Amino acid sequence: MDITLMGTASAASGAGRDNTYLLLQNDTDCTMVDVGGNPLGKLKQLQISSHQVKRVVFTHLHIDHIYGLPSLLWGMWLDQRTEPLDIYCDEEGREWLEQWLDHLKVTQWAIRFEVRVMTYTWEKPSVIAEGKDWTMSVFPSRHSVPTVGVKMVHEGKVMVYSSDTMVNPEIKKISNIDLLIHEATTAHKKLEFHTSLKELAGFYNWSAVERVTLVHMTDNEPYMEVLGQLPEEIHRKITVGQELTTVTL
Ligand SMILES: [Zn+2]
Ligand SMILES: [Zn+2]
């Protein structure tokens, strides 16, 4: 399974970073986790057809995590898609999402594919999609609105994406994480509803986490300085996420 960082910035975006979203690609299809800027152009850069994107999982409905959806749908229509697209959101957000799709007049583009809104209950962990050799589940984050993190298990390997959150006990209790993609909105400054790199380093159980990639980053934060102050055994496990890089799980 390949995991691509489609964007790595916090809500304010960055000079060289787009808002944070991910593409999870297995042998048969792709899942987009949130949709930030220019999804069509980025899929082209990755040489992935929009047809391969079978589902979109929204971790929450803050603008920086969803605003690329109209463009993605527009591109799927231009590509003459006929396969349904599943969009996952919290059940409380369903009505709002359906209204947004109505306002976009999605059904009036004469699209030939069905947009299916699927819901999860954000407060409790649940499996939302499965394939032959993978299982994707969501679990509650600690953010200012209903928000989930995403866990992907592929052939026994575990990827966890924190989404927007304070340090999260739900992640800490996972016994083995091969790749943790975690938000670090600041380097050491405390910020409500988000995590700093310093907090992240001090909170998680590092014997259970193989490697960490930082996303949801903010320009001009002293990440490298904080990294340099961490014990070597933690520091070596942490990578600063870069745009359009792919990690194989
Ligand atoms: Zn965000
Ligand atoms: Zn948010």
Side-chain angles (χ1 to χ4, degrees):
M1 171 152 304
D2 285 341
I3 295 142
T4 300
L5 307 180
M6 303 291 275
T8 56
S10 61
S13 208
R17 295 180 186 276
D18 197 350
N19 293 111
T20 296
Y21 65 118
L22 308 177
L23 189 76
L24 316 182
Q25 186 185 11
N26 62 37
D27 294 341
T28 52
D29 62 35
C30 295
T31 302
M32 205 172 271
V33 180
D34 295 329
V35 191
N38 194 18
L40 302 173
K42 290 183 181 180
L43 286 172
K44 285 187 168 74
Q45 284 188 57
L46 297 166
Q47 299 186 306
I48 294 172
S49 154
S50 72
H51 294 294
Q52 285 173 257
V53 180
K54 292 289 190 293
R55 65 195 73 75
V56 167
V57 177
F58 283 139
T59 61
H60 62 304
L61 298 176
H62 275 161
I63 296 298
D64 57 314
H65 294 257
I66 64 170
Y67 72 98
L69 181 70
S71 176
L72 181 67
L73 293 172
W74 193 243
M76 288 174 166
W77 173 56
L78 293 170
D79 286 344
Q80 302 185 343
R81 184 186 183 102
T82 55
E83 291 286 305
L85 175 73
D86 295 337
I87 305 179
Y88 292 78
C89 71
D90 172 49
E91 55 195 10
E92 289 173 32
R94 180 191 193 115
E95 193 182 343
W96 181 86
L97 179 58
E98 287 179 341
Q99 283 172 1
W100 188 36
L101 292 169
D102 276 351
H103 282 297
L104 293 169
K105 298 188 172 19
V106 168
T107 51
Q108 292 176 32
W109 305 341
I111 58 171
R112 289 156 58 206
F113 64 98
E114 192 186 353
V115 177
R116 303 188 295 206
V117 176
M118 323 283 270
T119 60
Y120 52 75
T121 305
W122 79 276
E123 297 100 325
K124 62 175 200 304
S126 60
V127 171
I128 58 167
E130 278 178 292
K132 164 170 73 55
D133 54 7
W134 59 270
T135 304
M136 184 165 28
S137 52
V138 294
F139 57 87
S141 292
R142 302 199 153 195
H143 196 36
S144 54
V145 296
T147 302
V148 294
V150 176
K151 180 180 171 193
M152 170 65 91
V153 180
H154 177 252
E155 293 179 340
K157 297 275 188 190
V158 178
M159 185 283 301
V160 172
Y161 169 47
S162 69
S163 189
D164 289 8
T165 190
M166 298 186 277
V167 287
N168 189 348
E170 289 288 330
I171 295 175
K172 196 175 188 176
K173 72 186 185 198
I174 300 171
S175 58
N176 184 45
I177 300 177
D178 295 282
L179 174 63
L180 174 58
I181 299 175
H182 203 291
E183 78 125 288
T185 303
T186 56
H188 54 69
K189 199 166 48 197
K190 270 204 172 287
L191 201 62
E192 205 178 10
F193 307 124
H194 289 284
T195 304
S196 70
L197 169 56
K198 192 174 170 199
E199 288 172 311
L200 181 161
F203 180 77
Y204 292 107
N205 173 11
W206 290 93
S207 60
V209 178
E210 201 58 44
R211 54 188 164 152
V212 175
T213 296
L214 305 179
V215 293
H216 212 269
M217 304 180 75
T218 304
D219 282 1
N220 304 318
E221 281 288 312
Y223 293 107
M224 300 319 286
E225 189 186 310
V226 173
L227 274 177
Q229 292 160 359
L230 297 177
E232 173 56 24
E233 64 269 26
I234 298 178
H235 182 170
R236 68 179 170 79
K237 293 189 174 188
I238 301 177
T239 305
V240 171
Q242 301 297 342
E243 302 288 291
L244 287 177
T245 51
T246 298
V247 184
T248 300
L249 185 65

